[in-house]
Amino acid sequence: MNYDEAMEMGKAEFGQMPPQAFLLGLLSAFDNRYQASADSFMKEITWKQFFAIICIKLCKEPPTLNDLADIMGSSHQNVKQILLKLERKGFVSTTTDGKDRRKQRVVLTDQCREFCEKNDAPSQAIIGRIFEGIEESKLITTIETIMAMERNVCKL
């Protein structure tokens, strides 16, 4: 079955299943497709590695491993593996926290910043294509819905 056939089947099945179940499946399938596409776009690193970099950049100060795992919504072990691979590639390094020597903070390297700068315009172009034809009001509703779902998942 190809992608178009799967989407047509999905449209037909949508009326036969609760919209909540359909949405969860759709989000999972989208995540898989997006990850595969992003992995092929960025040759040097994977999408999950790039997502870790994005999350590090969002922090006001270099995050700890636990901080980063919380932000990424992933386990400590998974994030540690991602960071080890990024460290081997020269994209991140760790430094001891100035206030608490037991904590290690994750820092982006110059090599990482150069990579991000080089890939910013192409990444923005791809994001533009993904959201082409989607009204901003629908995006805001989707964001609000997924944030509410996220809050509910955290309560489980």
Side-chain angles (χ1 to χ4, degrees):
M1 176 181 309
N2 67 29
Y3 172 76
D4 291 329
E5 291 168 337
M7 291 308 290
E8 283 305 312
M9 187 176 90
K11 286 178 192 173
E13 296 296 319
F14 175 60
Q16 299 173 10
M17 68 171 49
Q20 298 90 335
F22 187 81
L23 179 58
L24 287 173
L26 193 60
L27 287 171
S28 294
F30 175 81
D31 181 52
N32 291 337
R33 285 188 190 91
Y34 182 76
Q35 183 174 340
S37 178
D39 284 352
S40 68
F41 169 72
M42 288 184 221
K43 305 294 185 226
E44 299 97 325
I45 60 174
T46 67
W47 162 245
K48 288 190 184 230
Q49 291 167 352
F50 190 55
F51 181 59
I53 291 168
I54 292 167
C55 291
I56 293 166
K57 289 173 75 172
L58 290 174
C59 297
K60 291 179 182 170
E61 66 177 337
T64 65
L65 180 58
N66 287 336
D67 295 336
L68 194 55
D70 285 344
I71 294 166
M72 292 178 67
S74 192
S75 72
H76 179 276
Q77 295 86 348
N78 285 344
V79 174
K80 179 73 173 170
Q81 290 303 309
I82 290 168
L83 291 176
L84 285 172
K85 290 173 184 169
L86 284 171
E87 192 168 28
R88 277 188 233 123
K89 293 176 182 184
F91 281 69
V92 300
S93 63
T94 55
T95 184
T96 303
D97 184 275
K99 298 173 189 165
D100 184 346
R101 301 197 56 77
R102 295 171 294 176
K103 290 182 182 179
Q104 293 289 308
R105 299 216 170 255
V106 183
V107 180
L108 300 177
T109 64
D110 288 339
Q111 178 181 337
C112 182
R113 283 187 278 284
E114 289 171 16
F115 172 84
C116 290
E117 207 172 288
K118 178 182 91 174
N119 286 286
D120 185 54
S123 294
Q124 292 302 319
I126 289 171
I127 290 169
R129 288 179 56 199
I130 291 170
F131 290 99
E132 189 174 305
I134 301 172
E135 298 169 23
E136 188 173 335
S137 63
K138 288 185 177 184
L139 285 174
I140 291 168
T141 300
T142 302
I143 291 167
E144 291 169 346
T145 301
I146 293 174
M147 288 176 74
M149 291 167 59
E150 174 76 12
R151 284 189 298 274
N152 292 339
V153 164
C154 291
K155 293 176 190 174
L156 294 177

